[in-house]
Structure formats: structure tokens, C-alpha cells
Amino acid sequence: MEEKTENSLEKTGSATLPEERIVLIGGRWAGKSWSGNTILRGERFQYGRVRTTQVEVRHGEVEGRKLTVVDAPGWSSCLSLTDIPEGEKQSFKLYASKSPPGPHVFLLVLPIDSAFTQEQRTTLEEHMKLLGGQVWRFTMVLFTCGDYLGEKTIEQHIESEGEALKWLIGRCGNRYHVFNNKDKANLSQVSVLLEKIDEMMKNNGGASYKTDEQTFQIITEKQKDVTRRAKERQTNAEKQRQQRIKLIPEEKKTIPKVQMILLGSRNVGKTSVGNTILGCKDQEGGKRTANSVVKRGFVGETDVTLIDTPGWWKGFPAWDTPEIIKEEIIHSMFLCPPGPHIFLLVIDAHASFHNIHLEAVTSHLELLGEGVWKHTMIVFTRGDWLGAKSIEEFIEGEGEALQCLVYRCENRYHVISNKNANDREQITELMKKITETVAENSWNYFAPDQQLLDHIKEKRKCVKEAALLRQKQVNATRDSAGSRVRLDALKVVLLGQKTFGKSATGNTILHKDVFATCQNEQNREENGVVAGRQVTVIDTPGWWSESSRWTEVLDKEIARGLSLSPSGVHAVLLVVPLIPTFGDPQRVAVKEHMNLFDARIWKHTIVVFTHGDELADRSVEEHIESEHQSLRWLVDQCENKYHTINNMKRRDMTQVTELFEKIEEMVAGNGGQLFCPAMEEVHQRIWEKTHRNQLKIVLKQRLASEFKRRELQLIMGFRQTLQDLLADIQASPVATKPRFFFGDMTKKYQVTEYRKNYKKGEEEKLEAKISREIKKLNEEIMKSPTLQSSMDILVPDFAADSPAQFWSLSDQKISDSNFDKVLGWLSNLHVSTNRDNQLTVNFSETSGYRSVLSLDSGSVINE
């Protein structure tokens, strides 16, 4: 008997079975349902524009075989597993159980008429992992749209499509088949498929895939619990709604006028919700909302003013959102004076919602002011993707983050299917719920703070003035740079943080897809003729913003990128997106990595802003001036050399030509010199950077150890005080108790006097409460938790340009033996506290020099 794994195998006996059980899986619109019909030789599944929202099972007899075909809902090829709702992931694990005792084959459906990219490979691989490692033994690729091959064979298609598809075919043991679902008369394509399935079953010894029983039971119980809690939520929401309805007098059943603001992250369907409410079509053709827009119309007899706002990036809190977007969101409240009746918070009902999304929503809504939640209702979009599932099941199945959001909105929510805009009943019901919410708020508007508008106006005025000044400085610099000489050959290197769009920018520059847009760990050099120039682009690995993820290996690979051109490069293109915000963490990361090279690099560097469409009707200078000071620091470091590019508009070659002209101007200003770093010095700086980080880790560990000891000491002192207090109460409950102090803690805790008429029952309650607190402290002492969250504040920065550095990076080298001495010295630092309860690090007993770490402020004071 085989060892039972997450998904075990079930022996079914004979190698040739009268019954074959098939499960169709794959991405949306791949042709699964259509393929199911082709296999069963009949219209058994709905297909075409109708999406499969829940698993469907059909039976039939084909060529002497009893077939069971399971059509599973498709996954989104552009979403990672973390973006998919929890309930959908659980259901995916159970699709195999719909063909008991288990399927003989999973047909993984892929359309030939669209590319299978690296991103799609990642999504597919994540889904297959949900089924366990054994699933690949039972998987065959079924290509659809076979007519697109033309004269090409499927093998030629596989070889020409790239590494991702070849990986998939190899993972499936070279098992694949091609369907032309339009050619229904061709019965042989089904016959050949069934023969291939027979052969695979024979190779598997007649075994079928079976879902692990324990997994099945756990998920089934979860689904039952979700269903139960969903019914409870539905009941409670209806009770709350009935209470609101009672507040509406008969003459206000139809509210005469309502002002509403749409809020939410990008791509959740905000604009579509507005259009569906007003009963109008999208006039912008899917264009992103860059500014707050006022729309007006009538819904029945209600005069509706609707403001659509720019969306924030999903999962990004407000402090990562560009200032101009936050200003537009705040400004929306003043576009419908005296204020909005309601905020409609738009959430995608077919996407995950975790703590990061809750933090993003909360931080953005609270920009609007106190009391905003009482005027907020959640509108779930893409209700058609829920299938037979209720919205309450989605809320309960998704987890605590979404439940918390619904709780903050006091169970006010509604579901809309934007695809079915003609269904006015869903809008009628929404308007009723809006009226109920307005009635609950005593028919009052949400009154915005006028100071917010005054602040926005003043800031925008200052930004415009600063932007004009920067523009003049740029023009003056370009005029004084000397005459630009057109270069026949250009060599550029791309630097930047991961996910900032380096590789996509390289593809735009060369006007072809040569750099993989997934995270690369190695340099890649590509060439091409662009705008009459021979252009060489070197794409380097991106760095992380978190210093804990920096490695010496990655730094060396980034540095090697600049050595791939022995004569040097004409320009270093430092890629930075216009969104999200470029703040302190990004500035530190840029500084650390640019400092690996000598200071000359800044004279050869141009900042390339990606996501150029984010600017809308604003200039890039206005963006620079309105954003965090770290962005202005970066632009100033590059001496106002910057350019904006939109990688979504690859056909617009004027943006590339303008970039080449700016590079040529910079080269002229540099006297024709190329940037060629001394690699020996670069490697020395990498060594020093790595060892600075090691020093920081050692000091951090030493301080963490002392924090543990100090925290444990304070807890034990508090426990002793409570024990003394409890003993005094038990001995003399009517006596006046003295004051108690907790060791060397700065705060004093005074015990109140007990009066002679103190009731015995209250004494017993107090004793019990104190006993419980002592018990909790005992548990805390056993755990002895650390104060890790404070450590990043308290540890000094050992950055290359920090005043705390204790060697010269350019003139002095430290041997390994000396470095080991420094490590040993740090590990033996004496950490103590002074009279003010500040943690002190004594560097030398003879010098008298020490650092004081303030426990209140987290600052470092050198004495």
C-alpha cells in the first residue's frame, strides 16, 4: 500500500477501464466548456459568453466508454494565488471529488491563439500546488483553437513559444493533444484523445487521483461553517435594515436628492458602478480616472450627484499613495456642497481581501475626517462571478479583514453586477439602502472640514510655483550644456528597485520584447537599431527596498552590469515609477546602491519615470514638487536630468527619441566621456557595505538581548507589586494602603484607600481580578517576549555617509582580522541604564565615551 500523502492514489483494477473520469481545468476563456462538449459530442455545457461560475458534471457514452466530465471554473491568468478569494482556493482542491472515486486525468486547457507567458506559468503552478505533487502524473495539456496553427505543427508551436510552455509540456510528461472545437465533424480528434488517456491510465497502473480524505473533511467542515455564519449575518443585516426603514417617513420613501462619492482601489469597477447607477454607458473607453469627476442624473425621481474619484493601488496604504491622488480624494467632498450624503466604498467580490487591503481602505477613508464610517456603504462589484454563492458566504469565507470592514460599515453593503447594467432592480435596491443610511444619519450631509480645502489650495499654489521654477532651471541647464551631437551608437544601463519597471522600459526603448518582466537575478544585454541609432541596453537585477534582503551576491551582479561594456556606458537610467510614492526607504536603497560606484555616476544618470499615464493633465515637475522630499533629493542628485515614459504606449516612439536626445545632451555636457567605474574599488565598497550590515546585526542582537532582560525585569517587578497588594487586601481590607513603586520605573502606581464600609463581595471581585492579572504576568514571564518592533528605531544607521562610520570608505581598508576584532568588541559592549532609565552602551571604560538610547523617543545621544 502506498504512503498516504495530501492527495493519495486509488487503485481501480484493470488498465483498460469501461469508465473514464475527466476534469477540465485552466484559465478563463480557454475553451474548457467547449472542449467538454466536443468530448461528449453534444451541447452539454454552456459556452461562449457564459462563464462557468461553479463546477458542473456531465455524463455520456463515447466509443464504448462511460465518460464523466467535470467542468471547473477557470482561474484568472493575471492573478497570483494571494489575489484569489479563500473560498475559491478551497473549492479548487475539491473539484476532483466531483467525479468519485477520483479522476483519471486532468485536462489542462490552453488556447493556442494567446501566448503562455512566464506570469501565466507562475499562476498555473500555484494552482497545481493546491492539488499536490502527484497531480502531474494525471495531467495532460489540451490545446484549443487548433485552427490557429495553420500549416505549423503543434510541436513547432511548442518550440517557438518559449521556455514557459516547454516547461509545462515537460512537467506533464510530454502528454498533450490539440482540439479544433469549431470542427465538430472531426470525430477522430476525440478518438485520439481517448486513446492517449487510455495510454496514460495504463502507465499509471489503472490508478486514479483521489483527494485526501482529511483535506476533504476539513474543507467540507469549513464550508458548512461558512454557510451557517453567512445565514446568521444575513439575518442580522436584515434586522439592522428594518430598524433603519422605521426611520423613514412615508413622504421620504423616495429621497428627492442624494449626493454620493465613489471610493476604492484601482480596477475594482468604480467608474462602472457610477455608470450603472446613472444608467449611462462608459464614455471614456476604460480610461483611468485621474481626477475627481462630477456626474449628474436622475435615478427614478431622485436627483443624483455622483463624484468618481481616482483609485489607490490595491493593498497600498495612504502613505504610499501619491499626494495628488490623496488631494483629489479629499477634494471630492467639496465638489458637492455642502457635502456628500454617502460614500460608496467599492470592493471587488471576486478578489481576495486581506489585512493589507483593510489597512489600505482604512488609511484612505480616514483622510476624509472623523465620522466617515457612519456615512459609508460597501458596494461589491462583479456579483456575477459569485455564481450560486451569496455575498454573505463570500464575506464569511474571506476572513476577518473583510468581516472587520463590514462591521465598521455597520453591515451596510450591496452587490452589483456591472456586466448586467440593464438590471435596474439592483439599482432600485441600492437606492433604498442609501435612503435608509441617510435616514439613520438624521438626513444630514457629511460636513467636510474647510481647513482641508484651504490646505489643498495653498499647497497646489506652492507646487505650481516650484514646478515652474524647476522647469526654468532645466531649460537653463539644457541651454548651457553645449550643442548636442547626434550619436550613431548608444550604450545604456538600467538600474532600479524590483517591480519598478526596468525590464519593461528596456523593451520600450528597443521596441521589442527581449527582457522578461518577471524578477530577474542576472544581467542581460540586448541590442537593436532604434531611431537610426545602434542601441545597446543592459538590464540589471533590481534591488529590494528592505536592507535585510540586500546580499553581496546581488550587489556584485548589479555592479557587473556596468562592466559589460568595457569602454563604459553613455547613460545610467535610474528607473523610478510615478506611483507608488518614492519615500525614505526607497531613497536609502538608491543611495546605498549608487554609492557602490564613485560620485561621478550622478553626472551620467537620468531618472526615468515610468507609468507616465499617471500624470494625466499635470506636468512631471508638478509631480516632483508635490511628492515626498526624497523624490526631490533624487532629482537634485541627478542635476535635474529626468524623463517620463509610458510603457503601455510602446508604439509612441517620440518618447524614446526624446530620451535619446536628452542622453546626447548629457554626454555633450560631460565632454563626451562615458561612465566606466573602477571595478576593484566597486568590489571594495561592496565588501564594506556587507560588513557594515553585519556590524549592525551584531549590535542589534546585543541590544535585543538587553531589552529581553529589562522587559522581564519590569514584568517581574510588576508581578511582585500585585502580589504585595493582594496580600495587604487579604490581611486588612479596610486599612489605608501605602503607595507602591515599580522598581526603577518612572511611573508611580498608587493604591487607593479602602473604606470601612467596603463590601465583602467587591473585595472578592478585586482579589479575583488581581489574581488573574498575576496569572497573566506569570504566563508573560514564561514567554518572555521581545521588543523587536522597537529595534529598527534604536539601532544606529551604519550607512556609508553616516556620521557614525568609523573608517574611510575611499582611503582605508580593513583587514578581516581587524573586522573580527570589531565584531568581538561589539559583542562585549556593556549595556546598562542610567538614572533616567535610559539604555546606555559604554564603548570604552577608559575614554568615557558612550551612547544613550532613550526608551521614550528611540533617539541615540552621544555623550
Side-chain angles (χ1 to χ4, degrees):
M1 185 175 181
E2 289 190 50
E3 181 182 353
K4 188 176 183 181
T5 60
E6 180 183 347
N7 295 290
S8 59
L9 309 179
E10 181 202 19
K11 291 287 182 178
T12 56
S14 174
T16 304
L17 300 176
E19 180 184 17
E20 292 183 6
R21 298 182 294 274
I22 301 169
V23 176
L24 296 163
I25 59 174
R28 297 171 189 166
W29 318 118
K32 292 185 285 77
S33 303
W34 204 346
S35 297
N37 290 335
T38 300
I39 292 171
L40 292 173
R41 294 176 177 171
E43 304 296 320
R44 307 298 302 279
F45 298 101
Q46 283 188 303
Y47 65 96
R49 297 181 63 85
V50 180
R51 191 185 70 85
T52 304
T53 59
Q54 56 187 347
V55 65
E56 297 179 7
V57 184
R58 300 289 186 270
H59 303 276
E61 187 173 327
V62 179
E63 298 192 4
R65 300 172 178 84
K66 294 180 181 179
L67 299 184
T68 298
V69 180
V70 178
D71 185 15
W75 58 69
S76 174
S77 298
C78 61
L79 294 179
S80 70
L81 208 58
T82 56
D83 296 323
I84 295 172
E86 292 301 314
E88 192 169 314
K89 286 184 278 192
Q90 292 173 6
S91 296
F92 185 80
K93 291 182 180 181
L94 299 188
Y95 290 154
S97 66
K98 302 299 180 182
S99 60
H104 298 103
V105 62
F106 289 92
L107 292 181
L108 181 54
V109 183
L110 284 183
I112 290 174
D113 64 343
S114 59
F116 184 72
T117 64
Q118 188 66 37
E119 289 79 7
Q120 289 175 327
R121 168 190 164 170
T122 301
T123 300
L124 184 148
E125 197 170 5
E126 288 177 335
H127 278 82
M128 297 300 277
K129 283 180 181 178
L130 293 175
L131 301 175
Q134 294 291 335
V135 70
W136 293 106
R137 286 181 57 188
F138 302 93
T139 303
M140 179 186 299
V141 177
L142 177 61
F143 290 102
T144 55
C145 306
D147 52 310
Y148 274 81
L149 285 173
E151 298 299 320
K152 189 190 296 184
T153 66
I154 185 60
E155 287 76 19
Q156 289 173 325
H157 172 76
I158 293 169
E159 291 301 317
S160 64
E161 273 300 289
E163 294 302 318
L165 185 57
K166 286 189 279 189
W167 166 86
L168 177 60
I169 298 299
R171 200 73 179 85
C172 294
N174 275 322
R175 295 182 295 270
Y176 54 87
H177 187 66
V178 183
F179 262 6
N180 178 2
N181 291 318
K182 292 182 179 180
D183 189 6
K184 296 181 181 180
N186 183 7
L187 302 181
S188 64
Q189 58 183 347
V190 177
S191 302
V192 175
L193 171 65
L194 294 177
E195 289 172 4
K196 290 180 179 180
I197 293 174
D198 289 343
E199 183 181 356
M200 186 181 73
M201 290 167 60
K202 182 179 178 180
N203 293 334
N204 285 331
S208 64
Y209 174 97
K210 189 183 178 194
T211 304
D212 174 57
E213 188 63 30
Q214 185 178 8
T215 301
F216 179 82
Q217 291 295 335
I218 291 173
I219 294 177
T220 302
E221 287 301 316
K222 283 183 178 179
Q223 290 177 338
K224 288 180 180 178
D225 185 55
V226 164
T227 302
R228 177 186 57 79
R229 288 187 283 112
K231 289 180 180 177
E232 291 177 358
R233 176 175 293 279
Q234 202 169 24
T235 301
N236 293 333
E238 186 57 33
K239 286 180 180 178
Q240 288 176 278
R241 191 177 176 192
Q242 290 303 319
Q243 293 297 321
R244 298 185 190 110
I245 290 174
K246 291 178 182 178
L247 301 173
I248 305 174
E250 189 62 36
E251 64 273 13
K252 288 190 176 182
K253 290 291 183 183
T254 300
I255 189 170
K257 181 178 177 63
V258 66
Q259 300 186 156
M260 60 183 75
I261 294 177
L262 294 168
L263 300 169
S265 60
R266 297 185 173 199
N267 303 317
V268 295
K270 280 189 297 84
T271 303
S272 295
V273 168
N275 292 333
T276 302
I277 290 173
L278 295 175
C280 59
K281 293 183 179 180
D282 185 4
Q283 302 297 322
E284 299 297 326
K287 187 178 178 182
R288 184 183 66 83
T289 304
N291 301 300
S292 292
V293 179
V294 181
K295 298 179 181 180
R296 293 183 173 87
F298 279 86
V299 178
E301 298 178 5
T302 303
D303 183 4
V304 175
T305 299
L306 186 148
I307 295 95
D308 190 11
T309 61
W312 57 83
W313 272 26
K314 186 176 180 181
F316 283 77
W319 47 89
D320 281 335
T321 298
E323 292 298 312
I324 192 64
I325 292 180
K326 288 187 284 191
E327 288 176 9
E328 283 296 318
I329 291 173
I330 295 171
H331 188 240
S332 67
M333 298 186 293
F334 299 94
L335 296 177
C336 53
H341 291 100
I342 194 164
F343 298 96
L344 298 181
L345 176 59
V346 183
I347 302 291
D348 187 352
H350 194 63
S352 62
F353 192 91
H354 302 311
N355 286 331
I356 58 169
H357 307 122
L358 177 62
E359 183 181 35
V361 167
T362 302
S363 59
H364 283 92
L365 257 71
E366 291 182 352
L367 293 172
L368 304 175
E370 190 176 351
V372 66
W373 293 105
K374 283 189 169 295
H375 294 263
T376 302
M377 177 191 296
I378 300 172
V379 175
F380 290 103
T381 55
R382 299 187 174 97
D384 50 311
W385 292 89
L386 290 172
K389 186 190 299 181
S390 69
I391 189 60
E392 287 78 15
E393 287 177 294
F394 173 71
I395 294 169
E396 293 300 325
E398 193 55 24
E400 292 184 1
L402 184 56
Q403 293 161 23
C404 179
L405 180 64
V406 174
Y407 174 78
R408 288 185 182 179
C409 295
E410 299 176 5
N411 261 339
R412 294 185 297 269
Y413 55 86
H414 186 67
V415 188
I416 279 183
S417 171
N418 295 332
K419 294 266 182 162
N420 193 10
N422 294 327
D423 178 13
R424 298 306 295 172
E425 183 60 34
Q426 60 182 346
I427 302 305
T428 301
E429 191 65 15
L430 172 63
M431 294 301 293
K432 289 179 181 178
K433 292 180 179 180
I434 290 173
T435 303
E436 294 157 16
T437 303
V438 176
E440 190 177 27
N441 288 313
S442 303
W443 308 94
N444 291 326
Y445 298 89
F446 177 81
D449 185 351
Q450 183 63 34
Q451 290 184 350
L452 292 173
L453 181 60
D454 295 341
H455 174 74
I456 290 174
K457 288 180 177 179
E458 182 62 29
K459 183 178 178 181
R460 288 184 175 179
K461 179 183 176 183
C462 294
V463 163
K464 282 189 176 295
E465 291 174 355
L468 287 173
L469 179 59
R470 185 175 293 276
Q471 236 167 3
K472 290 179 180 178
Q473 292 172 344
V474 170
N475 293 334
T477 301
R478 294 183 71 175
D479 291 341
S480 62
S483 57
R484 174 178 67 87
V485 177
R486 190 182 187 283
L487 300 174
D488 295 328
L490 281 176
K491 296 179 181 179
V492 300
V493 63
L494 298 164
L495 293 180
Q497 188 174 307
K498 289 182 183 295
T499 73
F500 272 15
K502 285 188 298 81
S503 302
T505 300
N507 291 334
T508 299
I509 291 172
L510 291 175
H511 201 54
K512 56 184 177 180
D513 289 319
V514 288
F515 299 113
T517 54
C518 57
Q519 295 179 0
N520 58 313
E521 300 299 328
Q522 292 184 326
N523 294 299
R524 183 166 178 177
E525 180 179 341
E526 294 291 344
N527 304 280
V529 177
V530 185
R533 301 167 176 85
Q534 182 64 41
V535 180
T536 299
V537 178
I538 301 169
D539 187 19
T540 63
W543 57 70
W544 300 97
S545 62
E546 305 91 346
S547 61
S548 59
R549 304 181 74 173
W550 298 343
T551 65
E552 186 174 2
V553 173
L554 184 60
D555 285 348
K556 285 183 177 179
E557 183 63 14
I558 292 172
R560 190 178 71 85
L562 277 86
S563 68
L564 292 179
S565 175
S567 59
V569 295
H570 293 91
V572 175
L573 302 182
L574 185 55
V575 180
V576 174
L578 291 170
I579 185 171
T581 287
F582 185 88
D584 283 334
Q586 290 74 30
R587 177 178 61 84
V588 170
V590 165
K591 184 189 292 187
E592 283 283 336
H593 287 88
M594 295 293 277
N595 281 352
L596 297 178
F597 309 96
D598 60 77
R600 291 182 304 116
I601 191 172
W602 293 108
K603 287 192 169 293
H604 298 265
T605 300
I606 294 176
V607 178
V608 176
F609 292 109
T610 56
H611 301 289
D613 55 313
E614 295 292 334
L615 291 172
D617 56 352
R618 294 180 295 274
S619 68
V620 66
E621 288 79 16
E622 286 177 300
H623 175 81
I624 294 168
E625 297 303 329
S626 67
E627 281 301 294
H628 194 278
Q629 61 181 358
S630 294
L631 185 59
R632 292 190 289 280
W633 167 87
L634 177 63
V635 173
D636 290 342
Q637 282 290 112
C638 295
E639 299 175 350
N640 273 333
K641 299 187 296 290
Y642 52 85
H643 183 70
T644 305
I645 207 162
N646 182 359
N647 290 321
M648 301 301 291
K649 291 186 176 180
R650 293 259 298 272
R651 293 183 179 179
D652 179 14
M653 289 305 294
T654 58
Q655 58 182 347
V656 177
T657 305
E658 289 174 7
L659 173 62
F660 290 166
E661 291 172 357
K662 289 181 180 180
I663 292 173
E664 290 164 348
E665 288 174 4
M666 181 179 68
V667 172
N670 290 327
Q673 291 185 342
L674 279 64
F675 179 67
C676 186
M679 294 309 295
E680 184 179 347
E681 294 179 7
V682 171
H683 285 127
Q684 175 61 25
R685 294 188 187 97
I686 292 173
W687 183 92
E688 291 168 351
K689 174 189 170 189
T690 302
H691 287 67
R692 279 199 311 274
N693 289 336
Q694 290 182 11
L695 287 173
K696 184 175 179 179
I697 291 170
V698 172
L699 181 55
K700 205 170 188 177
Q701 290 172 343
R702 183 72 181 93
L703 290 173
S705 176
E706 180 61 22
F707 269 115
K708 288 181 185 179
R709 188 188 67 79
R710 290 284 295 132
E711 185 184 32
L712 186 60
Q713 183 184 53
L714 293 174
I715 291 175
M716 292 178 71
F718 188 28
R719 180 186 64 173
Q720 184 61 49
T721 302
L722 287 178
Q723 288 173 338
D724 292 344
L725 176 59
L726 180 60
D728 285 343
I729 293 173
Q730 292 171 340
S732 178
V734 297
T736 300
K737 303 300 174 192
R739 294 172 180 254
F740 289 89
F741 300 93
F742 293 15
D744 59 356
M745 294 178 67
T746 56
K747 292 187 178 180
K748 302 173 182 179
Y749 293 81
Q750 182 180 8
V751 181
T752 60
E753 296 182 351
Y754 290 88
R755 302 182 181 276
K756 291 183 179 181
N757 61 350
Y758 196 95
K759 295 180 181 179
K760 183 178 180 181
E762 292 178 346
E763 294 175 11
E764 292 174 350
K765 289 181 182 178
L766 184 59
E767 289 180 28
K769 186 175 181 179
I770 294 175
S771 297
R772 286 196 300 271
E773 291 300 319
I774 292 173
K775 183 180 178 181
K776 288 180 183 178
L777 288 171
N778 284 331
E779 293 173 356
E780 290 297 318
I781 290 170
M782 293 301 294
K783 295 177 185 176
S784 185
T786 62
L787 298 180
Q788 291 296 334
S789 60
S790 304
M791 296 312 299
D792 287 334
I793 301 173
L794 296 172
V795 177
D797 182 14
F798 288 109
D801 56 354
S802 167
Q805 70 185 39
F806 37 86
W807 69 75
S808 169
L809 296 181
S810 57
D811 302 327
Q812 185 177 358
K813 295 183 180 180
I814 297 182
S815 67
D816 288 343
S817 60
N818 285 336
F819 177 71
D820 291 337
K821 290 178 183 178
V822 175
L823 289 180
W825 168 69
L826 274 175
S827 64
N828 290 295
L829 285 177
H830 178 63
V831 183
S832 59
T833 53
N834 60 17
R835 288 178 300 177
D836 298 322
N837 194 40
Q838 294 173 314
L839 204 61
T840 63
V841 181
N842 297 311
F843 289 95
S844 170
E845 293 182 0
T846 56
S847 68
Y849 180 85
R850 65 177 179 170
S851 281
V852 178
L853 304 178
S854 171
L855 294 177
D856 294 327
S857 65
S859 59
V860 181
I861 307 166
N862 295 325
E863 296 181 343

